[in-house]
Every structure is written in structure tokens, then in C-alpha cells.
Amino acid sequence: QVQLVESGGGSVQAGGSLRLSCAASGFTYSTYCMGWFRQAPGKEREGVATIDSAGSTSYADSVKGRFTISQDNAKNTLYLQINSLKDEDTAMYYCAARAFTYRPRQCPTMSAIYGYWGQGTQVTVSS
């Protein structure tokens, strides 16, 4: 059984930093994409960063240069380093995962593609 558990969210002032973690268990595929998504109240869930099993990353334009996705395979943990936080980064942040038969050219950012989800961790930015 696959389980994804996020942690690290909180309330921070604009300009601050946070590191989100996503501990994965039962996800033992060799070819996969994992990603961080966020959903603000009244808005659709959006993909902010993805990483594949080879370590290739991609980012939404709105977070490039501020967010860094990484993974520690030994710890089965996905991370999202968030710097220079802005008010508009306030959202529930989710990690997601999907296994693939073949490595995609780029991990998809459509949330519907991903079959495994964590429960989310709240990030609130105040100015």
C-alpha cells in the first residue's frame, strides 16, 4: 500500500523560507514521476514542481528560481525547498506520485495523471 505523508508547512512572513517533506512508503517503482502541487482556496490545484526517477526536474514559471524539488532515495523522501515566499504562495501543498512503464520526456503537471496523493500540508504567508 502506497502512502505519502507531507510535513513542514507552517505560517511564515513574506520573504521567508520553508522546506516541505513528503515521506513515501510502499512506492517501489523504478520509473516514476513525483511532484508537488498546491491548491489555494477557490482555485484549481496546480503543479509547481516535478522530479522523475532519473532526477530531472521541472517547475512552474511562477516558482522558478524560488522553489527547488529534490529527493533522497535512501530515505524515500521528497522535498520542496521554498525561498522568498510571497503572499500568493499561500495554499495547501500536496505531494503526488505515479509510476510509468517508460520514462516520460517530462513529468506531467496535470494533477489527474497522478494516482497517489498525500493529505497535504498548509503553507500560509503573511506580509
Side-chain angles (χ1 to χ4, degrees), residues 91-111:
M92 185 71 79
Y93 284 71
Y94 301 89
C95 71
R98 171 173 169 156
F100 288 87
T101 302
Y102 299 99
R103 180 188 170 200
R105 180 177 300 180
Q106 182 169 312
C107 286
T109 56
M110 288 182 61
S111 60

mmCIF file of all heavy atoms in Angstrom, residues 91-111:
data_model
loop_
_atom_site.group_PDB
_atom_site.id
_atom_site.type_symbol
_atom_site.label_atom_id
_atom_site.label_comp_id
_atom_site.label_asym_id
_atom_site.label_seq_id
_atom_site.Cartn_x
_atom_site.Cartn_y
_atom_site.Cartn_z
ATOM 1 N N ALA A 91 -1.222 28.298 0.294
ATOM 2 C CA ALA A 91 -2.013 27.205 -0.272
ATOM 3 C C ALA A 91 -1.781 25.944 0.542
ATOM 4 O O ALA A 91 -0.874 25.890 1.378
ATOM 5 C CB ALA A 91 -1.621 26.945 -1.733
ATOM 6 N N MET A 92 -2.602 24.942 0.261
ATOM 7 C CA MET A 92 -2.313 23.596 0.757
ATOM 8 C C MET A 92 -1.384 22.955 -0.261
ATOM 9 O O MET A 92 -1.674 22.985 -1.475
ATOM 10 C CB MET A 92 -3.610 22.796 0.883
ATOM 11 C CG MET A 92 -3.408 21.424 1.502
ATOM 12 S SD MET A 92 -3.022 21.494 3.259
ATOM 13 C CE MET A 92 -4.677 21.757 3.924
ATOM 14 N N TYR A 93 -0.310 22.392 0.217
ATOM 15 C CA TYR A 93 0.664 21.763 -0.661
ATOM 16 C C TYR A 93 0.573 20.246 -0.532
ATOM 17 O O TYR A 93 0.570 19.712 0.583
ATOM 18 C CB TYR A 93 2.077 22.231 -0.316
ATOM 19 C CG TYR A 93 2.370 23.622 -0.822
ATOM 20 C CD1 TYR A 93 1.771 24.738 -0.244
ATOM 21 C CD2 TYR A 93 3.216 23.828 -1.908
ATOM 22 C CE1 TYR A 93 2.017 26.019 -0.724
ATOM 23 C CE2 TYR A 93 3.477 25.101 -2.387
ATOM 24 C CZ TYR A 93 2.873 26.184 -1.798
ATOM 25 O OH TYR A 93 3.113 27.453 -2.280
ATOM 26 N N TYR A 94 0.517 19.589 -1.679
ATOM 27 C CA TYR A 94 0.385 18.143 -1.733
ATOM 28 C C TYR A 94 1.547 17.533 -2.506
ATOM 29 O O TYR A 94 1.998 18.116 -3.492
ATOM 30 C CB TYR A 94 -0.905 17.737 -2.459
ATOM 31 C CG TYR A 94 -2.176 18.249 -1.850
ATOM 32 C CD1 TYR A 94 -2.701 19.490 -2.211
ATOM 33 C CD2 TYR A 94 -2.877 17.484 -0.917
ATOM 34 C CE1 TYR A 94 -3.886 19.961 -1.661
ATOM 35 C CE2 TYR A 94 -4.072 17.947 -0.372
ATOM 36 C CZ TYR A 94 -4.554 19.186 -0.748
ATOM 37 O OH TYR A 94 -5.735 19.643 -0.206
ATOM 38 N N CYS A 95 1.984 16.357 -2.083
ATOM 39 C CA CYS A 95 2.891 15.615 -2.940
ATOM 40 C C CYS A 95 2.103 14.500 -3.618
ATOM 41 O O CYS A 95 1.080 14.036 -3.106
ATOM 42 C CB CYS A 95 4.097 15.067 -2.188
ATOM 43 S SG CYS A 95 3.776 13.711 -1.069
ATOM 44 N N ALA A 96 2.574 14.109 -4.778
ATOM 45 C CA ALA A 96 1.887 13.104 -5.577
ATOM 46 C C ALA A 96 2.910 12.241 -6.297
ATOM 47 O O ALA A 96 4.048 12.669 -6.518
ATOM 48 C CB ALA A 96 0.951 13.772 -6.581
ATOM 49 N N ALA A 97 2.483 11.069 -6.679
ATOM 50 C CA ALA A 97 3.395 10.140 -7.349
ATOM 51 C C ALA A 97 2.650 9.302 -8.360
ATOM 52 O O ALA A 97 1.449 9.034 -8.226
ATOM 53 C CB ALA A 97 4.066 9.235 -6.303
ATOM 54 N N ARG A 98 3.406 8.914 -9.380
ATOM 55 C CA ARG A 98 2.847 7.999 -10.376
ATOM 56 C C ARG A 98 3.994 7.192 -10.974
ATOM 57 O O ARG A 98 5.050 7.739 -11.261
ATOM 58 C CB ARG A 98 2.109 8.738 -11.492
ATOM 59 C CG ARG A 98 1.755 7.748 -12.591
ATOM 60 C CD ARG A 98 0.907 8.295 -13.663
ATOM 61 N NE ARG A 98 0.847 7.348 -14.772
ATOM 62 C CZ ARG A 98 -0.120 7.288 -15.664
ATOM 63 N NH1 ARG A 98 -1.125 8.146 -15.594
ATOM 64 N NH2 ARG A 98 -0.090 6.408 -16.636
ATOM 65 N N ALA A 99 3.756 5.918 -11.162
ATOM 66 C CA ALA A 99 4.719 5.045 -11.823
ATOM 67 C C ALA A 99 4.463 5.034 -13.326
ATOM 68 O O ALA A 99 3.315 5.202 -13.756
ATOM 69 C CB ALA A 99 4.620 3.623 -11.270
ATOM 70 N N PHE A 100 5.530 4.883 -14.082
ATOM 71 C CA PHE A 100 5.421 4.808 -15.535
ATOM 72 C C PHE A 100 6.144 3.570 -16.037
ATOM 73 O O PHE A 100 7.129 3.128 -15.449
ATOM 74 C CB PHE A 100 6.040 6.053 -16.183
ATOM 75 C CG PHE A 100 5.233 7.300 -16.000
ATOM 76 C CD1 PHE A 100 5.397 8.088 -14.874
ATOM 77 C CD2 PHE A 100 4.291 7.677 -16.948
ATOM 78 C CE1 PHE A 100 4.646 9.246 -14.708
ATOM 79 C CE2 PHE A 100 3.543 8.822 -16.790
ATOM 80 C CZ PHE A 100 3.719 9.611 -15.662
ATOM 81 N N THR A 101 5.661 3.052 -17.178
ATOM 82 C CA THR A 101 6.362 1.941 -17.814
ATOM 83 C C THR A 101 7.635 2.436 -18.492
ATOM 84 O O THR A 101 8.685 1.799 -18.446
ATOM 85 C CB THR A 101 5.447 1.260 -18.851
ATOM 86 O OG1 THR A 101 4.267 0.816 -18.191
ATOM 87 C CG2 THR A 101 6.156 0.068 -19.481
ATOM 88 N N TYR A 102 7.512 3.602 -19.138
ATOM 89 C CA TYR A 102 8.651 4.238 -19.772
ATOM 90 C C TYR A 102 8.794 5.642 -19.203
ATOM 91 O O TYR A 102 7.809 6.298 -18.895
ATOM 92 C CB TYR A 102 8.464 4.319 -21.296
ATOM 93 C CG TYR A 102 8.340 2.970 -21.953
ATOM 94 C CD1 TYR A 102 7.084 2.461 -22.290
ATOM 95 C CD2 TYR A 102 9.461 2.201 -22.240
ATOM 96 C CE1 TYR A 102 6.961 1.226 -22.893
ATOM 97 C CE2 TYR A 102 9.337 0.967 -22.834
ATOM 98 C CZ TYR A 102 8.092 0.482 -23.148
ATOM 99 O OH TYR A 102 7.967 -0.746 -23.739
ATOM 100 N N ARG A 103 10.048 6.087 -19.089
ATOM 101 C CA ARG A 103 10.300 7.410 -18.527
ATOM 102 C C ARG A 103 9.751 8.463 -19.482
ATOM 103 O O ARG A 103 10.141 8.510 -20.644
ATOM 104 C CB ARG A 103 11.794 7.613 -18.310
ATOM 105 C CG ARG A 103 12.173 8.955 -17.741
ATOM 106 C CD ARG A 103 13.663 9.142 -17.733
ATOM 107 N NE ARG A 103 14.028 10.513 -17.418
ATOM 108 C CZ ARG A 103 15.200 11.052 -17.714
ATOM 109 N NH1 ARG A 103 16.115 10.322 -18.331
ATOM 110 N NH2 ARG A 103 15.447 12.298 -17.401
ATOM 111 N N PRO A 104 8.861 9.326 -19.022
ATOM 112 C CA PRO A 104 8.351 10.376 -19.901
ATOM 113 C C PRO A 104 9.409 11.420 -20.187
ATOM 114 O O PRO A 104 10.373 11.572 -19.417
ATOM 115 C CB PRO A 104 7.189 10.973 -19.091
ATOM 116 C CG PRO A 104 7.518 10.653 -17.681
ATOM 117 C CD PRO A 104 8.279 9.374 -17.685
ATOM 118 N N ARG A 105 9.250 12.127 -21.305
ATOM 119 C CA ARG A 105 10.205 13.182 -21.656
ATOM 120 C C ARG A 105 10.237 14.230 -20.548
ATOM 121 O O ARG A 105 11.295 14.757 -20.213
ATOM 122 C CB ARG A 105 9.800 13.823 -22.977
ATOM 123 C CG ARG A 105 10.732 14.942 -23.422
ATOM 124 C CD ARG A 105 10.311 15.476 -24.775
ATOM 125 N NE ARG A 105 10.339 14.462 -25.817
ATOM 126 C CZ ARG A 105 10.009 14.690 -27.074
ATOM 127 N NH1 ARG A 105 9.601 15.891 -27.448
ATOM 128 N NH2 ARG A 105 10.047 13.727 -27.971
ATOM 129 N N GLN A 106 9.072 14.553 -20.047
ATOM 130 C CA GLN A 106 8.979 15.468 -18.915
ATOM 131 C C GLN A 106 7.809 15.029 -18.055
ATOM 132 O O GLN A 106 6.767 14.632 -18.586
ATOM 133 C CB GLN A 106 8.767 16.906 -19.394
ATOM 134 C CG GLN A 106 8.708 17.927 -18.262
ATOM 135 C CD GLN A 106 8.755 19.355 -18.755
ATOM 136 O OE1 GLN A 106 9.595 19.722 -19.573
ATOM 137 N NE2 GLN A 106 7.846 20.172 -18.251
ATOM 138 N N CYS A 107 7.967 15.084 -16.769
ATOM 139 C CA CYS A 107 6.873 14.665 -15.904
ATOM 140 C C CYS A 107 5.651 15.550 -16.127
ATOM 141 O O CYS A 107 5.777 16.769 -16.241
ATOM 142 C CB CYS A 107 7.294 14.768 -14.435
ATOM 143 S SG CYS A 107 8.437 13.481 -13.915
ATOM 144 N N PRO A 108 4.491 14.957 -16.179
ATOM 145 C CA PRO A 108 3.272 15.748 -16.381
ATOM 146 C C PRO A 108 2.960 16.602 -15.168
ATOM 147 O O PRO A 108 3.348 16.276 -14.044
ATOM 148 C CB PRO A 108 2.194 14.681 -16.606
ATOM 149 C CG PRO A 108 2.724 13.464 -15.939
ATOM 150 C CD PRO A 108 4.213 13.526 -16.086
ATOM 151 N N THR A 109 2.271 17.705 -15.408
ATOM 152 C CA THR A 109 1.873 18.590 -14.317
ATOM 153 C C THR A 109 0.361 18.597 -14.101
ATOM 154 O O THR A 109 -0.133 19.315 -13.244
ATOM 155 C CB THR A 109 2.350 20.025 -14.579
ATOM 156 O OG1 THR A 109 1.841 20.460 -15.845
ATOM 157 C CG2 THR A 109 3.863 20.093 -14.597
ATOM 158 N N MET A 110 -0.348 17.785 -14.880
ATOM 159 C CA MET A 110 -1.788 17.668 -14.662
ATOM 160 C C MET A 110 -2.031 16.773 -13.458
ATOM 161 O O MET A 110 -1.573 15.635 -13.414
ATOM 162 C CB MET A 110 -2.465 17.069 -15.887
ATOM 163 C CG MET A 110 -2.543 17.992 -17.074
ATOM 164 S SD MET A 110 -3.416 17.212 -18.434
ATOM 165 C CE MET A 110 -5.018 16.916 -17.696
ATOM 166 N N SER A 111 -2.764 17.270 -12.493
ATOM 167 C CA SER A 111 -2.982 16.517 -11.261
ATOM 168 C C SER A 111 -3.715 15.205 -11.517
ATOM 169 O O SER A 111 -3.482 14.220 -10.807
ATOM 170 C CB SER A 111 -3.741 17.364 -10.246
ATOM 171 O OG SER A 111 -4.997 17.757 -10.753
#
